[in-house]
């Protein structure tokens, strides 16, 4: 047993499972393949209708550190919280059932937390896209920009201290999307310390189906925008100098977000613009191009969005 394991830090790996018969075996084997051995695995079946539960139970027979429980209330946050209730580990690895972790992931991050007093690790990840090139997603160094820009690690790439999670009441079960950024925002609001880990040790599979954002985009983008407004207001009230220095980028992120929201809820999009962005001049980004800015200068936000959706021009 190495020095890290000698310190007896137990890590609980919590895996929410819903109709993942195609993926769960690879996910579990990536956990069992970890170089760090002080691990317990908690798989939470969330009303699967395929063979997921059968596969979980077959692995439970083979491995004595696997616990399988059921969570009848639908939702990943409910499943993660159900796992947290019985987790014995000091540190928590959340892992979606269609993602995998590389063999040194937990060992590497435990070594980081022993070297630095932190409450969670924010980590790079490998994004695996079907029929396209994979890429590495690195977190923003600036935590507030990372929160606003959905770039402060990933649920499965990060590692969380259980006590820190309990302090912020764990996952918000009322959210269907933006759960991880809501969670990290609540941690950061209470000055929980984090460390950026730029070594990608988690492979995130981008699926073409089964994602909440694909099933209910209106709700997804509504929750996305409302959380960003909450983050913006917090920064403005608690970090006024920072807010002044980062005014343009913070507002541009919100601007790009409400442009997407307009397609699903034009009223909320326009109201958000009028309340938070009426004095803001947008600039070119990946989402907002020169053509859009040119039309915007003449017609303003609501008319430009109406024309964009009518004429189908994107930027």
């Amino acid at each position: 047993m190495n020095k890290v394991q000698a310190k007896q830090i137990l890590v609980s790996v919590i895996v929410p499972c819903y109709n993942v018969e195609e993926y769960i075996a690879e996910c579990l084997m990536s956990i069992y393949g970890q170089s760090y051995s002080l691990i317990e695995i908690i798989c939470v079946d969330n009303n699967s209708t395929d063979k997921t539960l059968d596969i979980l139970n077959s692995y439970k027979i083979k491995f004595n550190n696997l616990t399988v429980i059921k969570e009848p209330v639908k939702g990943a946050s409910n499943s993660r919280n159900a796992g947290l209730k019985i987790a014995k580990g000091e540190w928590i690895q959340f892992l979606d059932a269609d993602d995998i972790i590389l063999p040194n992931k937990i060992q590497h991050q435990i070594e980081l937390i022993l070297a630095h007093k932190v409450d969670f690790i924010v980590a790079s990840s490998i994004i695996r896209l079907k029929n396209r090139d994979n890429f590495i997603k690195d977190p923003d160094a600036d935590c507030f920009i990372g929160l606003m820009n959905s770039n402060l690690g990933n649920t499965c790439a990060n590692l969380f201290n259980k006590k820190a999670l309990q302090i912020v009441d764990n996952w918000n079960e009322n959210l269907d999307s933006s759960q991880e950024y809501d969670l990290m925002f609540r941690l950061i609001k209470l000055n929980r310390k984090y460390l950026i880990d730029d070594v990608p040790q988690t492979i995130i599979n981008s699926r073409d189906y089964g994602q909440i954002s694909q099933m209910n985009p209106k709700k997804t983008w509504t929750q996305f925008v409302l959380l960003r407004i909450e983050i913006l207001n917090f920064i403005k009230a608690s970090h006024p100098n920072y807010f002044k220095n980062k005014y343009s980028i913070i507002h541009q992120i919100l601007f790009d977000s409400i442009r997407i929201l307009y397609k699903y809820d034009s009223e909320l999009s326009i109201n958000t613009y009028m309340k938070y962005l009426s004095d803001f001049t947008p600039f070119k980004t990946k989402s907002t191009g020169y053509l859009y800015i040119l039309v915007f200068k003449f017609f303003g936000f609501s008319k430009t969005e109406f024309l964009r959706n009518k004429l189908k021009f994107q930027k």
Side-chain angles (χ1 to χ4, degrees), residues 179-193:
Q179 305 103 318
E180 61 188 332
Y181 282 87
D182 168 78
L183 177 67
M184 287 188 285
F185 177 45
R186 286 184 282 122
L187 287 166
I188 287 170
K189 279 199 296 185
L190 292 183
N191 296 315
R192 300 293 97 182
K193 294 182 180 180

Side-chain angles (χ1 to χ4, degrees), residues 152-270:
L152 202 63
N154 176 281
T155 298
C156 304
N158 297 353
L159 193 70
F160 298 90
N161 180 271
K162 185 181 178 182
K163 288 182 179 179
L165 294 174
Q166 291 172 331
I167 288 171
V168 297
D169 295 325
N170 301 323
W171 293 83
N172 184 344
E173 296 177 3
N174 295 317
L175 295 178
D176 294 323
S177 61
S178 295
Q179 305 103 318
E180 61 188 332
Y181 282 87
D182 168 78
L183 177 67
M184 287 188 285
F185 177 45
R186 286 184 282 122
L187 287 166
I188 287 170
K189 279 199 296 185
L190 292 183
N191 296 315
R192 300 293 97 182
K193 294 182 180 180
Y194 72 94
L195 177 73
I196 290 181
D197 173 16
D198 60 3
V199 179
Q201 298 272 358
T202 305
I203 297 177
I204 308 299
N205 282 304
S206 181
R207 284 198 274 164
D208 294 331
Y209 63 92
Q211 304 293 326
I212 289 173
S213 59
Q214 296 166 337
M215 293 185 284
N216 195 341
K218 179 180 178 180
K219 192 172 185 179
T220 295
W221 283 103
T222 297
Q223 291 178 343
F224 185 98
V225 168
L226 291 178
L227 178 58
R228 270 64 194 177
I229 291 171
E230 190 179 347
I231 295 168
L232 182 152
N233 287 332
F234 172 78
I235 299 170
K236 185 177 181 180
S238 302
H239 303 273
N241 291 332
Y242 173 92
F243 182 79
K244 182 178 179 180
N245 291 333
K246 300 288 186 175
Y247 179 92
S248 293
I249 187 168
I250 289 171
H251 285 78
Q252 184 66 44
I253 293 169
L254 182 60
F255 184 85
D256 288 343
S257 302
I258 65 168
R259 285 192 56 210
I260 300 172
L261 177 63
Y262 183 92
K263 179 179 178 181
Y264 307 106
D265 191 334
S266 59
E267 182 178 0
L268 178 58
S269 177
I270 292 170

Side-chain angles (χ1 to χ4, degrees), residues 37-73:
S37 62
L38 293 177
I39 293 173
E40 68 165 357
I41 304 171
I42 302 169
C43 289
V44 186
D45 184 69
N46 196 207
N47 303 287
S48 294
T49 57
D50 63 359
K51 296 180 181 178
T52 296
L53 187 56
D54 293 335
I55 296 171
L56 292 177
N57 286 329
S58 70
Y59 273 87
K60 184 179 176 181
I61 295 171
K62 296 177 185 177
F63 301 99
N64 58 13
N65 63 339
L66 172 61
T67 300
V68 178
I69 63 174
K70 295 182 180 181
E71 171 51 51
V73 182

Side-chain angles (χ1 to χ4, degrees), residues 99-114:
D99 298 331
I100 63 174
I101 48 178
L102 299 182
N104 202 43
K105 197 271 189 189
I106 294 177
Q107 173 81 33
H108 166 71
Q109 291 186 338
I110 290 294
E111 289 173 355
L112 289 178
I113 66 170
L114 288 173

